[in-house]
Amino acid sequence: MVQLKMMDTTNMRTRREYDIIFIGHVCHDEVIHQDGHKTITTGGAALYGAVAAASTGKTTAALLKLAPEDQKDLDTLKECGVRVFTIDSRETTRVQVIHRSSDMDERQIITLKHAGLFKKNEVQDIPAGHIHLAGCNDHEFSLDFIKAIKQRGHPLSIDMQCFTRYNDPKTGEVTFNDDSDKKEAEQNNIYPIDVVCVNLYPFIEVTKKQNLDINTAIENIDIGGPSLIRAAAKNYKYVSILTSPDQYDAFLDELSSGNISEGT
């Protein structure tokens, strides 16, 4: 049986001590830009989501599956106040993201390696008020696993990418399709996120003030907000993103009509 490990080697306690726990893979992205330049970034929906939640003041933990040699890359999470638990895997998920034009939404994604599905026996006691399954594609959570977590009585949410991103078993290329398992998930009262509403810190306005001290400026650098917006934007066909109160009335008008446009 795989054991949960905290980065500081202490055990996960069984009492409820976190507002929310994010479960998912860590993903190393090899981004190939239009001009051929390559950059390597460490991310994943679980990592970004945990940082965003911690920035709001929630007591936050992340349960991440990755290779032991890559766990050194998680120090940033701890610095943001996230308690990190890990499950060892042979590989850390790695994807290649190819941009062939200046439009960042137009990209080819190829999975080079993946850490494998989470298993029921890998996740035992979860001391959290809410669990979010923050997957990037269909290689992380089976429906049986989702059911098992839900049956433990925890409030549960799931990233839509788990249902719409498929990996071609031969080429590794990621394609976007609908998933028949969504209906069964709904029957178990498991619902995707439909709306992300974020008001960013007023960094520009604050930094225009005279005699501004550096600590105040730093406190107004928004970390969690952009992470939430980025995650929602990747699922723009299924998630509405609101970043200003000026958008609320128009959104509510569309919502009341029963038809949300793709632009919204």
Side-chain angles (χ1 to χ4, degrees):
M1 181 180 294
V2 180
Q3 298 295 318
L4 296 181
K5 301 191 307 178
M6 279 196 63
M7 295 298 291
D8 58 8
T9 71
T10 59
N11 293 322
M12 180 182 271
R13 288 161 284 183
T14 56
R15 62 185 176 86
R16 180 176 296 182
E17 57 184 282
Y18 304 107
D19 292 319
I20 184 169
I21 287 182
F22 291 81
I23 301 177
H25 288 181
V26 170
C27 186
H28 291 320
D29 295 345
E30 176 187 305
V31 182
I32 302 177
H33 301 273
Q34 182 185 10
D35 60 3
H37 176 66
K38 294 183 181 180
T39 55
I40 305 295
T41 61
T42 299
L47 187 150
Y48 292 128
V51 170
S55 72
T56 67
K58 298 294 184 182
T59 53
T60 305
L63 173 56
L64 307 170
K65 195 168 192 176
L66 71 167
E69 61 268 23
D70 292 323
Q71 292 175 11
K72 63 182 184 301
D73 298 331
L74 304 179
D75 288 344
T76 300
L77 273 179
K78 294 194 294 181
E79 293 168 2
C80 292
V82 178
R83 297 284 282 181
V84 179
F85 301 86
T86 61
I87 297 175
D88 290 347
S89 62
R90 291 185 179 180
E91 305 280 2
T92 297
T93 296
R94 299 176 188 275
V95 302
Q96 189 175 70
V97 183
I98 304 171
H99 295 283
R100 305 189 190 281
S101 73
S102 58
D103 186 345
M104 298 300 286
D105 288 330
E106 294 182 1
R107 63 193 187 279
Q108 180 183 21
I109 304 174
I110 301 172
T111 300
L112 305 177
K113 299 178 181 179
H114 65 87
L117 289 168
F118 281 84
K119 300 176 182 178
K120 291 183 287 185
N121 66 337
E122 292 178 335
V123 182
Q124 298 179 15
D125 296 318
I126 304 178
H130 188 97
I131 298 171
H132 183 67
L133 301 182
C136 289
N137 55 53
D138 65 331
H139 274 13
E140 296 184 52
F141 311 115
S142 67
L143 190 57
D144 284 343
F145 176 84
I146 295 171
K147 287 180 180 179
I149 297 298
K150 178 63 177 178
Q151 288 169 358
R152 296 179 189 181
H154 296 283
L156 180 68
S157 57
I158 308 172
D159 198 302
M160 181 62 76
Q161 294 177 122
C162 301
F163 293 109
T164 59
R165 281 186 168 188
Y166 284 85
N167 287 272
D168 187 293
K170 294 182 179 180
T171 66
E173 184 168 1
V174 176
T175 57
F176 294 84
N177 296 293
D178 209 349
D179 191 326
S180 59
D181 283 343
K182 286 196 302 183
K183 292 183 178 179
E184 189 168 350
E186 290 177 359
Q187 291 169 1
N188 286 275
N189 297 317
I190 301 170
Y191 300 100
I193 294 172
D194 295 315
V195 180
V196 171
C197 182
V198 180
N199 293 324
L200 298 174
Y201 292 162
F203 179 77
I204 295 177
E205 289 80 0
V206 169
T207 53
K208 289 179 179 179
K209 295 180 180 179
Q210 295 183 351
N211 303 318
L212 178 69
D213 65 274
I214 187 64
N215 289 331
T216 300
I218 291 173
E219 284 299 317
N220 279 273
I221 297 175
D222 204 320
I223 298 174
S227 297
L228 285 170
I229 294 169
R230 181 178 185 270
K234 286 187 173 183
N235 293 281
Y236 72 93
K237 290 185 177 180
Y238 310 98
V239 181
S240 296
I241 310 166
L242 305 177
T243 58
S244 169
D246 295 338
Q247 300 171 314
Y248 296 171
D249 288 341
F251 173 76
L252 291 174
D253 287 342
E254 283 197 31
L255 184 64
S256 62
S257 72
N259 183 28
I260 302 296
S261 66
E262 187 172 292
T264 303

Short mmCIF file of all heavy atoms in Angstrom, two decimals, residues 94-123:
data_model
loop_
_atom_site.label_atom_id
_atom_site.label_comp_id
_atom_site.label_asym_id
_atom_site.label_seq_id
_atom_site.Cartn_x
_atom_site.Cartn_y
_atom_site.Cartn_z
N ARG A 94 4.61 14.83 -17.40
CA ARG A 94 5.32 15.80 -18.23
C ARG A 94 4.57 15.95 -19.55
O ARG A 94 4.21 14.96 -20.17
CB ARG A 94 6.76 15.36 -18.50
CG ARG A 94 7.58 15.22 -17.23
CD ARG A 94 8.99 14.68 -17.50
NE ARG A 94 9.68 14.39 -16.25
CZ ARG A 94 10.35 15.27 -15.53
NH1 ARG A 94 10.44 16.52 -15.97
NH2 ARG A 94 10.92 14.93 -14.40
N VAL A 95 4.36 17.19 -19.95
CA VAL A 95 3.68 17.44 -21.22
C VAL A 95 4.47 18.42 -22.06
O VAL A 95 5.24 19.23 -21.53
CB VAL A 95 2.24 17.98 -21.02
CG1 VAL A 95 1.41 17.01 -20.21
CG2 VAL A 95 2.26 19.34 -20.37
N GLN A 96 4.28 18.32 -23.35
CA GLN A 96 4.88 19.27 -24.29
C GLN A 96 3.74 20.13 -24.84
O GLN A 96 2.74 19.61 -25.33
CB GLN A 96 5.56 18.51 -25.42
CG GLN A 96 6.40 19.37 -26.35
CD GLN A 96 7.14 18.53 -27.37
OE1 GLN A 96 6.52 17.96 -28.27
NE2 GLN A 96 8.44 18.44 -27.23
N VAL A 97 3.91 21.43 -24.74
CA VAL A 97 2.91 22.37 -25.22
C VAL A 97 3.50 23.15 -26.38
O VAL A 97 4.49 23.88 -26.21
CB VAL A 97 2.46 23.34 -24.10
CG1 VAL A 97 1.36 24.26 -24.61
CG2 VAL A 97 2.01 22.57 -22.87
N ILE A 98 2.93 22.98 -27.56
CA ILE A 98 3.49 23.57 -28.78
C ILE A 98 2.58 24.70 -29.27
O ILE A 98 1.40 24.48 -29.56
CB ILE A 98 3.64 22.51 -29.89
CG1 ILE A 98 4.49 21.33 -29.38
CG2 ILE A 98 4.26 23.12 -31.14
CD1 ILE A 98 4.52 20.15 -30.33
N HIS A 99 3.13 25.91 -29.33
CA HIS A 99 2.40 27.08 -29.85
C HIS A 99 2.89 27.35 -31.27
O HIS A 99 4.06 27.70 -31.47
CB HIS A 99 2.64 28.29 -28.97
CG HIS A 99 2.08 28.15 -27.59
ND1 HIS A 99 0.75 28.30 -27.31
CD2 HIS A 99 2.68 27.87 -26.40
CE1 HIS A 99 0.53 28.11 -26.02
NE2 HIS A 99 1.69 27.84 -25.44
N ARG A 100 2.01 27.22 -32.25
CA ARG A 100 2.39 27.44 -33.64
C ARG A 100 2.02 28.83 -34.14
O ARG A 100 2.30 29.19 -35.28
CB ARG A 100 1.75 26.37 -34.52
CG ARG A 100 2.08 24.95 -34.06
CD ARG A 100 1.62 23.91 -35.06
NE ARG A 100 1.73 22.57 -34.52
CZ ARG A 100 2.86 21.88 -34.44
NH1 ARG A 100 3.98 22.41 -34.88
NH2 ARG A 100 2.86 20.66 -33.93
N SER A 101 1.36 29.60 -33.27
CA SER A 101 0.99 30.97 -33.63
C SER A 101 1.08 31.83 -32.38
O SER A 101 1.37 31.35 -31.28
CB SER A 101 -0.43 31.01 -34.20
OG SER A 101 -1.39 30.82 -33.17
N SER A 102 0.83 33.12 -32.55
CA SER A 102 0.89 34.04 -31.42
C SER A 102 -0.33 33.92 -30.51
O SER A 102 -0.34 34.45 -29.40
CB SER A 102 1.02 35.49 -31.91
OG SER A 102 -0.07 35.82 -32.76
N ASP A 103 -1.36 33.21 -30.98
CA ASP A 103 -2.57 33.00 -30.17
C ASP A 103 -2.28 31.89 -29.16
O ASP A 103 -2.16 30.72 -29.52
CB ASP A 103 -3.74 32.61 -31.07
CG ASP A 103 -5.06 32.50 -30.31
OD1 ASP A 103 -5.02 32.46 -29.06
OD2 ASP A 103 -6.11 32.45 -30.97
N MET A 104 -2.17 32.26 -27.88
CA MET A 104 -1.78 31.30 -26.86
C MET A 104 -2.84 30.22 -26.63
O MET A 104 -2.54 29.16 -26.05
CB MET A 104 -1.49 32.02 -25.54
CG MET A 104 -0.34 33.02 -25.63
SD MET A 104 1.22 32.20 -26.10
CE MET A 104 1.62 31.36 -24.57
N ASP A 105 -4.08 30.46 -27.06
CA ASP A 105 -5.12 29.45 -26.92
C ASP A 105 -5.01 28.37 -27.98
O ASP A 105 -5.60 27.29 -27.83
CB ASP A 105 -6.51 30.10 -26.98
CG ASP A 105 -6.83 30.89 -25.73
OD1 ASP A 105 -6.33 30.50 -24.66
OD2 ASP A 105 -7.58 31.88 -25.82
N GLU A 106 -4.29 28.65 -29.05
CA GLU A 106 -4.09 27.66 -30.10
C GLU A 106 -2.79 26.91 -29.83
O GLU A 106 -1.70 27.43 -30.05
CB GLU A 106 -4.04 28.34 -31.47
CG GLU A 106 -5.35 28.99 -31.89
CD GLU A 106 -5.26 29.60 -33.27
OE1 GLU A 106 -4.18 29.50 -33.91
OE2 GLU A 106 -6.26 30.19 -33.72
N ARG A 107 -2.92 25.69 -29.35
CA ARG A 107 -1.74 24.94 -28.96
C ARG A 107 -1.99 23.45 -29.12
O ARG A 107 -3.12 22.99 -29.07
CB ARG A 107 -1.37 25.25 -27.51
CG ARG A 107 -2.42 24.85 -26.50
CD ARG A 107 -2.12 25.48 -25.14
NE ARG A 107 -3.00 25.01 -24.09
CZ ARG A 107 -4.22 25.46 -23.86
NH1 ARG A 107 -4.71 26.41 -24.64
NH2 ARG A 107 -4.96 24.98 -22.88
N GLN A 108 -0.90 22.73 -29.31
CA GLN A 108 -0.93 21.27 -29.33
C GLN A 108 -0.31 20.78 -28.03
O GLN A 108 0.76 21.24 -27.64
CB GLN A 108 -0.15 20.73 -30.53
CG GLN A 108 -0.15 19.21 -30.62
CD GLN A 108 0.70 18.70 -31.78
OE1 GLN A 108 1.58 19.42 -32.27
NE2 GLN A 108 0.46 17.48 -32.22
N ILE A 109 -1.00 19.88 -27.35
CA ILE A 109 -0.51 19.35 -26.08
C ILE A 109 -0.26 17.86 -26.23
O ILE A 109 -1.14 17.11 -26.67
CB ILE A 109 -1.52 19.60 -24.95
CG1 ILE A 109 -1.85 21.09 -24.84
CG2 ILE A 109 -0.99 19.08 -23.61
CD1 ILE A 109 -2.95 21.40 -23.85
N ILE A 110 0.94 17.42 -25.88
CA ILE A 110 1.31 16.02 -25.97
C ILE A 110 1.82 15.55 -24.61
O ILE A 110 2.73 16.15 -24.04
CB ILE A 110 2.41 15.80 -27.03
CG1 ILE A 110 1.92 16.27 -28.41
CG2 ILE A 110 2.81 14.33 -27.09
CD1 ILE A 110 3.00 16.26 -29.47
N THR A 111 1.21 14.50 -24.09
CA THR A 111 1.66 13.93 -22.82
C THR A 111 2.85 13.03 -23.07
O THR A 111 2.75 12.05 -23.82
CB THR A 111 0.53 13.14 -22.14
OG1 THR A 111 -0.58 14.01 -21.90
CG2 THR A 111 1.00 12.55 -20.82
N LEU A 112 3.98 13.36 -22.46
CA LEU A 112 5.21 12.57 -22.62
C LEU A 112 5.31 11.48 -21.56
O LEU A 112 5.75 10.36 -21.85
CB LEU A 112 6.43 13.49 -22.55
CG LEU A 112 6.43 14.67 -23.53
CD1 LEU A 112 7.66 15.55 -23.29
CD2 LEU A 112 6.41 14.17 -24.97
N LYS A 113 4.93 11.82 -20.33
CA LYS A 113 4.94 10.87 -19.22
C LYS A 113 3.78 11.22 -18.30
O LYS A 113 3.33 12.37 -18.27
CB LYS A 113 6.25 10.94 -18.43
CG LYS A 113 7.50 10.60 -19.23
CD LYS A 113 8.75 10.75 -18.36
CE LYS A 113 10.00 10.43 -19.16
NZ LYS A 113 11.23 10.59 -18.33
N HIS A 114 3.30 10.26 -17.54
CA HIS A 114 2.27 10.59 -16.56
C HIS A 114 2.44 9.75 -15.31
O HIS A 114 2.94 8.62 -15.36
CB HIS A 114 0.87 10.45 -17.15
CG HIS A 114 0.48 9.04 -17.52
ND1 HIS A 114 -0.08 8.16 -16.64
CD2 HIS A 114 0.58 8.38 -18.70
CE1 HIS A 114 -0.32 7.01 -17.25
NE2 HIS A 114 0.06 7.12 -18.50
N ALA A 115 2.01 10.30 -14.19
CA ALA A 115 2.23 9.68 -12.88
C ALA A 115 1.25 8.56 -12.59
O ALA A 115 1.42 7.83 -11.61
CB ALA A 115 2.16 10.74 -11.78
N GLY A 116 0.21 8.41 -13.40
CA GLY A 116 -0.73 7.33 -13.21
C GLY A 116 -1.96 7.73 -12.41
O GLY A 116 -2.01 8.77 -11.75
N LEU A 117 -2.98 6.89 -12.49
CA LEU A 117 -4.23 7.15 -11.79
C LEU A 117 -4.05 7.09 -10.27
O LEU A 117 -3.25 6.30 -9.77
CB LEU A 117 -5.29 6.11 -12.20
CG LEU A 117 -5.85 6.20 -13.62
CD1 LEU A 117 -6.64 4.94 -13.94
CD2 LEU A 117 -6.74 7.44 -13.77
N PHE A 118 -4.78 7.94 -9.57
CA PHE A 118 -4.86 7.81 -8.12
C PHE A 118 -5.68 6.56 -7.79
O PHE A 118 -6.64 6.24 -8.49
CB PHE A 118 -5.54 9.04 -7.51
CG PHE A 118 -4.65 10.23 -7.39
CD1 PHE A 118 -4.46 11.09 -8.46
CD2 PHE A 118 -3.99 10.51 -6.20
CE1 PHE A 118 -3.64 12.20 -8.36
CE2 PHE A 118 -3.18 11.62 -6.08
CZ PHE A 118 -3.00 12.46 -7.16
N LYS A 119 -5.29 5.87 -6.73
CA LYS A 119 -5.99 4.66 -6.30
C LYS A 119 -6.65 4.89 -4.94
O LYS A 119 -6.17 5.68 -4.13
CB LYS A 119 -5.01 3.48 -6.23
CG LYS A 119 -4.35 3.18 -7.56
CD LYS A 119 -3.32 2.07 -7.42
CE LYS A 119 -2.62 1.79 -8.75
NZ LYS A 119 -1.57 0.74 -8.59
N LYS A 120 -7.74 4.17 -4.72
CA LYS A 120 -8.50 4.36 -3.48
C LYS A 120 -7.65 4.12 -2.24
O LYS A 120 -7.77 4.83 -1.24
CB LYS A 120 -9.72 3.43 -3.46
CG LYS A 120 -10.79 3.80 -4.47
CD LYS A 120 -11.99 2.89 -4.37
CE LYS A 120 -11.69 1.51 -4.93
NZ LYS A 120 -12.91 0.66 -4.95
N ASN A 121 -6.77 3.11 -2.30
CA ASN A 121 -5.97 2.79 -1.11
C ASN A 121 -4.82 3.77 -0.89
O ASN A 121 -4.15 3.71 0.14
CB ASN A 121 -5.42 1.37 -1.20
CG ASN A 121 -4.41 1.19 -2.32
OD1 ASN A 121 -4.40 1.96 -3.27
ND2 ASN A 121 -3.57 0.17 -2.21
N GLU A 122 -4.61 4.69 -1.84
CA GLU A 122 -3.56 5.70 -1.66
C GLU A 122 -4.06 6.89 -0.85
O GLU A 122 -3.26 7.66 -0.34
CB GLU A 122 -3.07 6.18 -3.02
CG GLU A 122 -2.31 5.14 -3.82
CD GLU A 122 -1.89 5.65 -5.18
OE1 GLU A 122 -2.53 6.56 -5.71
OE2 GLU A 122 -0.90 5.11 -5.73
N VAL A 123 -5.36 7.06 -0.79
CA VAL A 123 -5.94 8.21 -0.11
C VAL A 123 -6.87 7.70 0.97
O VAL A 123 -7.98 7.25 0.69
CB VAL A 123 -6.71 9.11 -1.11
CG1 VAL A 123 -7.25 10.34 -0.41
CG2 VAL A 123 -5.81 9.51 -2.27
#
